[in-house]
């Protein structure tokens, strides 16, 4: 027996590391999206600059977590195919449909409205901006 790790061991380790990060960032992102939506709703109703500052601060943290969740999620999809190819082949007909729906519906919904959420502060009406924040939250929840 040799003490060297095999390619399979390295692949399993990478999969475990990616999955751990994904499962940490995704629930945090889901919670932050609701918090940001509530704070922006309070800002929309009160027009208080303190709530606007809080919303933008937590929105930045949401964006970082969202990016990490997307990056690790895409890697996980490829790792399912490379590291668990027999499993993916066996359950692909059942497992593939929800992934396709998530990719086509929820991810494009998130991608569209998150752009408005981050870059539309002075470009769209406050009501449309608030709606885009809640639609980003809905898209993230559908993705989950």
């Amino acid at each position: 027996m040799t003490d060297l790790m095999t390619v399979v061991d390295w692949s399993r380790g990478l999969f475990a590391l990616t999955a751990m990060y994904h499962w940490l960032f995704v629930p945090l992102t889901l919670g932050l999206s609701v918090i940001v939506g509530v704070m922006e709703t309070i800002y929309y109703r009160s027009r208080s600059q303190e709530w606007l500052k809080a919303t933008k601060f937590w929105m930045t943290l949401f964006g970082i977590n969202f990016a990490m969740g997307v990056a690790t999620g895409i890697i996980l999809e490829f790792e399912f195919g490379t590291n668990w190819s027999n499993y993916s082949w066996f359950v692909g007909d059942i497992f593939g449909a929800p992934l396709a729906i998530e990719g086509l519906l929820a991810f494009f919904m998130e991608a569209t409205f998150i752009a408005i959420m981050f870059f539309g502060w002075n470009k769209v009406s406050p009501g449309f901006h608030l709606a885009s924040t809640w639609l980003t939250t809905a898209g993230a929840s559908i993705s989950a």
Side-chain angles (χ1 to χ4, degrees):
M1 272 295 229
T2 159
D3 290 335
L4 296 176
M5 291 179 64
T6 66
V7 173
V8 174
D9 295 327
W10 282 105
S11 297
R12 289 178 179 164
L14 180 62
F15 181 83
L17 185 67
T18 307
M20 285 188 301
Y21 275 107
H22 189 68
W23 292 332
L24 285 173
F25 283 106
V26 170
L28 184 58
T29 301
L30 292 172
L32 281 173
S33 67
V34 173
I35 290 169
V36 168
V38 168
M39 285 192 286
E40 188 173 348
T41 302
I42 294 170
Y43 162 70
Y44 179 78
R45 290 183 177 172
S46 69
R47 299 290 185 216
S48 168
Q49 292 302 308
E50 294 301 315
W51 282 107
L52 178 62
K53 282 187 213 174
T55 301
K56 288 186 176 184
F57 172 78
W58 287 102
M59 191 179 289
T60 303
L61 294 178
F62 166 79
I64 293 166
N65 283 289
F66 183 86
M68 287 297 293
V70 168
T72 56
I74 291 171
I75 293 168
L76 274 177
E77 287 187 26
F78 284 108
E79 286 177 342
F80 272 121
T82 57
N83 296 350
W84 306 95
S85 59
N86 288 338
Y87 175 75
S88 295
W89 180 80
F90 185 71
V91 299
D93 293 337
I94 297 166
F95 195 58
L99 276 176
I101 292 169
E102 188 258 343
L104 291 173
L105 172 70
F107 186 72
F108 284 115
M109 182 176 165
E110 287 172 297
T112 301
F113 290 110
I114 202 167
I116 297 168
M117 187 173 129
F118 277 99
F119 305 114
W121 281 105
N122 298 319
K123 296 174 179 63
V124 297
S125 70
F128 187 74
H129 191 276
L130 177 62
S132 70
T133 300
W134 281 111
L135 286 169
T136 301
T137 301
S141 298
I142 293 170
S143 284

